[in-house]
Amino acid sequence: MMNLSTLPNALPNEKVVLFLRRHWIDLIRIFFFSGVLFVLPVVVGTLIEFANPDLIAHVFWGPALVVTLVAYLLVILVLTLTEVTDYWLDVWIVTTERIINTEQQGLFNRVVSEVYLYQIQDVTSEQKGLLATFLTFGDVFVQTAAERERFQFKNIDNPEDVKIAIGGLAKTCKNTHGHAVHHEEEVPGE
Amino acid sequence: MDIPLWILLVPLAFIVAFTALFLFFNIFHLARYGVVGRGAIALILVYIVSYLFVFVLGVTALLDIKWTETVTLRDILPFTGGSSSSFGL
């Protein structure tokens, strides 16, 4: 397991400032869709019982339905757990020196990247949509001078505050390294 | 031709094995890459308990069935005039 107090390749006096996960609404989405899929057999079972009650008591199709139901429930459960794992392992760690981006893409793909705060050129926060505005979640984009994809903090809580925090940390870090930082802000609805 | 009912358990066994493997990988990922804390341990416990719950529930439902019985194609296929004449999908 990863220990926040002993990060890999930690620099001297490096401290964790922010530990971020996706907003809890993503977890609600997962459980909502899983809930619908778990309830589906009840609906189908009721329809079968209504349309053809003999089917459940049938010598072959009765057991076949039970087997299908057990298999279905196990598959849905494991898919739900995989989504929860994906949610749990998508983390962004902001320290006094760098940002560590860890993204779990499915069960067999994992991307870990990091950017040093003095490399940051631009920090952008973005909240799109009614739900994101009300629940204050959204994305934060961190752009560096290097020709690489910009860092994206996906669906995090309070992206505005995170943007300000990263901007402040980057500024402090850049002063140490003798550079300046530029902040950009996107206001929802504009 | 007589077909034993237990033949239905063969694909189920594959699915159980497949889901158990996925459960293992989920737990492995949490244990390997998760951040140290109660959350990851609680999540692993929830995974194991929820899987065992569904598995035991399924086994309980399967135990009520007489798997040693056999069926014929007539029983299975509605258009061959099997024992369940009202069947129709």
Side-chain angles (χ1 to χ4, degrees), chain A residues 135-185:
Chain A
L135 297 176
T136 61
F137 68 89
D139 298 344
V140 171
F141 300 94
V142 176
Q143 180 73 56
T144 63
E147 282 185 23
R148 55 184 292 182
E149 282 180 44
R150 56 183 184 171
F151 258 52
Q152 188 182 1
F153 294 55
K154 290 174 193 164
N155 281 356
I156 56 164
D157 198 11
N158 292 317
E160 189 67 31
D161 293 346
V162 172
K163 186 208 76 172
I164 292 166
I166 292 172
L169 285 165
K171 199 172 183 178
T172 310
C173 216
K174 285 208 171 195
N175 285 339
T176 315
H177 291 80
H179 298 283
V181 68
H182 166 68
H183 304 277
E184 188 185 319
E185 186 177 333

Side-chain angles (χ1 to χ4, degrees), chain A residues 7 15 20 36 41 47 61 69 71 89 118 123 129 131 154-156 158 161 174:
Chain A
L7 288 172
K15 286 175 188 168
L20 304 163
V36 169
L47 285 173
W61 292 107
L69 178 68
L89 295 180
Y118 68 81
V123 187
L131 204 61
K154 290 174 193 164
N155 281 356
I156 56 164
N158 292 317
D161 293 346
K174 285 208 171 195

Side-chain angles (χ1 to χ4, degrees), chain A residues 1-2 4 19 52 54-55 58-61 64 67 70-71 74 77-78 81-82 84-85 88-89 104 107 110, chain B residues 8 15-16 19 22-23 26 29-36 40 43 47 50-51 58 67 75-76 84 86-88:
Chain A
M1 278 191 183
M2 183 167 62
L4 285 179
F19 178 79
N52 194 340
D54 293 342
L55 187 64
H58 190 272
V59 66
F60 177 80
W61 292 107
V67 166
V70 174
L74 283 173
L77 177 70
V78 167
L81 299 184
T82 305
V84 174
T85 304
W88 191 260
L89 295 180
Q104 188 71 32
L107 208 51
R110 185 176 163 77
Chain B
L8 287 169
I15 290 167
V16 169
T19 54
F22 258 71
L23 177 75
N26 272 296
H29 276 78
L30 284 177
R32 177 76 182 82
Y33 303 114
V35 174
V36 173
L43 210 53
Y47 280 21
S50 57
Y51 188 85
W67 295 103
D75 293 325
I76 298 168
S84 180
S86 60
F87 172 69

